[in-house]
Amino acid sequence: MQKQEQDKLVELHVTGMHCNNCALSVHKLLEKKGYANVFVSFANEEVKFTSHDEVNLPQVIDAIEGLGFKVQQENQEVKSGFLSEIEHKFLFALVFTIPLFLHMFLPFHWLHQPYVQLALCLPVFILGCAYFGKSAINSIKGGVPNMDVLIFVGSTSAFVYSLIGTLLALGPSYLFYETTATIITLVLLGNVFEKRSVIQTTSAVKDLIKIQHTKAIRVLDGTTETIDAKDIHVGDILLVNEGDQIPTDGDIIWGEAAINESMLTGESVPVEKHKYDAVIGGTLIERGSLRITATKVGNKTVLAQIIDLMKRAQAAKPPIQRLGDKVAAIFVPVVIGIALLTFFLAYFAFDLSFRQSLMNAIAVMVISCPCAMGLATPTAVMVGLGRSAKNGVLIKGGDTVEEMTDLRYMVFDKTGTLTTGNFSVRLMDSTLPDEDLAAMVYGLESYSSHPIAKSLVKAFQDKPKAKLIFTQVKEEKGLGIKAVDSEGNSYQIGSKQLVTNRTDAEGFDVFLLKNGILIAKIALEDELKPDAAMLMQTLKEQQITPVLLSGDRKEKCIALARTIGIDQVYAEQFPQDKLTIIEELKTKGKVAMVGDGINDAPALTTADVGISLGNSSQVAIQSAKVVLLNNELKSIITLLKIGKHTLLTIKQNLFWAFFYNVFAIPLAAFGFLSPMLAALAMACSDVVVIGNSIRLKFKRL
């Protein structure tokens, strides 16, 4: 872990990657150079990697651009000529292709002249060589041939064949310029569709990024100035008025407001915020006005971290994608082999003409589209993760989607997870004066983020307190707080584990010891979350066994389990005991763990899927694979539904991608599809796969 913190992170903006094969070639290149944690997203045009040694950035950029992609560096002016956009390339090619293609139907004799056709085809062919040819050659150099190899070889074969026919005046039977131009133009059209579809699949991340780009009003020496959110520094005082977006994370120092946090939690009901409350950048003030002091800026804000997590999650591959990746990696050489075999069998075995044999071989190359297989998984994952994020569920990895659909057990912590974590003091038993007890309990529990500790701090914060100074404080997972005051007295406050041998501990939840002597016992009441019983019923209907795993008292756990319908209960467990139970359950099937405290972090990490609540401790959030930003248990039902439908979409996409190739290649090989029809069909296959993924964005779950 220490090593990773010292590693240098490099982030690059790489354009020109239009499918998973492109991303794979960049990924392999960087791995060959010895870089770690390589992350490549063709949809977001991002490349990230880490290196323990100094990175020779110009060399890395040259290597990536050597594969046919363009690295856009920060603050670099982008030269955008007319042909830099794929849409413009398509329009340019279309202008020359239409008259060339229509010569077969129009009575203009000059269009039938070989050199006129050559003149019309040549600009399109040069454009194709520059776009597909460069990418094809560089992909072969990189060891991962992409689909551009097939397009380049197919269109070049038709062009060279036609050029020889023109130069040797062999007649119209040797002219296939319209085939060359139409292949390139239709594939460019397919790329236009693909680009626009991928933009839709990544819209959830782009919507969040737009939220970051806002203005802020900074208060300085009694005056105000408008600045960009990226120019905010920690400690700046910001004024945020009604209707404004909060520009960064901060704490309220003046004012009250109702804040819409739906972009974070999916919950549209505004949250009332008061002085000293924390606010999150990107949320919207619906009523009121605030002054806040900035506490987190830039990539440290909650929104920035969510965006980064979503990007990484969208690039993480589910196990089901490995099959698609393996096939895509060997697909191009196999197709070229099939095309050559088609040509030789047609020409030598079936006595077809050289012209027809060549057309069949070209059709095989053009119709074969590994892009559809490469796009099948990432597009579905992007849409699924985007939809879950808009519903207040942050999934940290595409692989988590598949694991969620195959769960056997879902294990729940009790306090703060199945219950609200809002405790009230039901009973206190102590011989101490009220002021001394309040000072000890408030002073000790203020060092913990556990829900019980927070409730006790709240219960004692308004009570008169004696002054008590602690010189040493330590929180022990599953036990509580240990401390030493300025006079050398030792204190312990925590669960029943502190007083295991006492008979008078029954009915109490929190125990306070001074110098090893029990001086106070506190009984608490906790409130059950409203969706808990409904969730357990839903899990059982889906053949997932709910399990209660808690450090709380056995009688309390059993009573709660009976109320909401959990049959399997493990009570009074230490963090290390929770690990053992999780590992035991994992031997019987996939296990998800839902928790919120520091003591749950090891179990969240050990489970196949760790699920944390949005108001959990940072340790729990970092340990989990899923974060429920709105803190509602019903979000788990949303998570299960989105996981199920995302995996179903991936399977449908892979089926159509494989079926398309299995069905189309033989048709092309036997001459039932011309190269032009093959190019059109190839473009359609990508659109079908991406369209099916986009359907997940709107379909009823």
Side-chain angles (χ1 to χ4, degrees), residues 268-282:
S268 58
V269 178
V271 180
E272 296 291 334
K273 297 276 185 174
H274 308 278
K275 191 175 180 181
Y276 304 128
D277 284 345
V279 291
I280 296 164

Side-chain angles (χ1 to χ4, degrees), residues 80-95 127 188 192 195-196:
S80 54
F82 179 77
L83 291 179
S84 62
E85 294 289 330
I86 189 69
E87 289 88 352
H88 296 161
K89 285 184 174 73
F90 165 67
L91 290 173
F92 176 83
L94 187 65
V95 168
L127 175 68
L188 286 171
V192 170
K195 177 188 172 184
R196 295 189 174 186

Side-chain angles (χ1 to χ4, degrees), residues 438-562:
M440 291 179 193
V441 174
Y442 181 85
L444 290 165
E445 294 290 27
S446 61
Y447 287 95
S448 174
S449 60
H450 192 280
I452 289 179
K454 287 180 179 178
S455 297
L456 287 172
V457 167
K458 190 175 179 181
F460 285 95
Q461 66 183 0
D462 297 326
K463 295 185 182 295
K465 293 179 278 293
K467 193 170 183 181
L468 192 60
I469 299 170
F470 296 107
T471 56
Q472 295 176 36
V473 180
K474 181 184 178 184
E475 184 172 7
E476 293 189 348
K477 293 176 184 178
L479 279 175
I481 302 284
K482 278 187 176 182
V484 178
D485 69 13
S486 54
E487 297 176 4
N489 295 307
S490 64
Y491 297 85
Q492 280 182 288
I493 188 167
S495 65
K496 193 179 179 182
Q497 308 290 349
L498 297 175
V499 289
T500 49
N501 297 323
R502 296 184 67 103
T503 55
D504 57 348
E506 291 301 321
F508 291 92
D509 305 284
V510 179
F511 301 87
L512 175 63
L513 285 75
K514 181 177 180 181
N515 297 322
I517 299 169
L518 180 65
I519 55 172
K521 298 178 289 186
I522 302 171
L524 301 172
E525 284 182 330
D526 194 3
E527 182 184 332
L528 187 65
K529 284 190 176 176
D531 303 319
M534 180 186 70
L535 174 60
M536 301 311 145
Q537 182 62 35
T538 304
L539 291 177
K540 288 178 179 178
E541 288 170 2
Q542 296 189 20
Q543 309 301 312
I544 300 171
T545 304
V547 178
L548 179 59
L549 178 59
S550 174
D552 207 347
R553 295 203 324 266
K554 190 174 182 179
E555 59 269 25
K556 276 197 167 187
C557 291
I558 290 172
L560 181 138
R562 281 177 185 159

Side-chain angles (χ1 to χ4, degrees), residues 33 48 86 179 190 195 197 261 288 423-424 433 454 486 499 526 544 551 609 635:
K33 288 186 173 292
K48 296 181 185 180
I86 189 69
T179 299
K195 177 188 172 184
S197 299
E261 296 185 341
F423 295 89
S424 57
K454 287 180 179 178
S486 54
V499 289
D526 194 3
I544 300 171
V609 181
S635 294

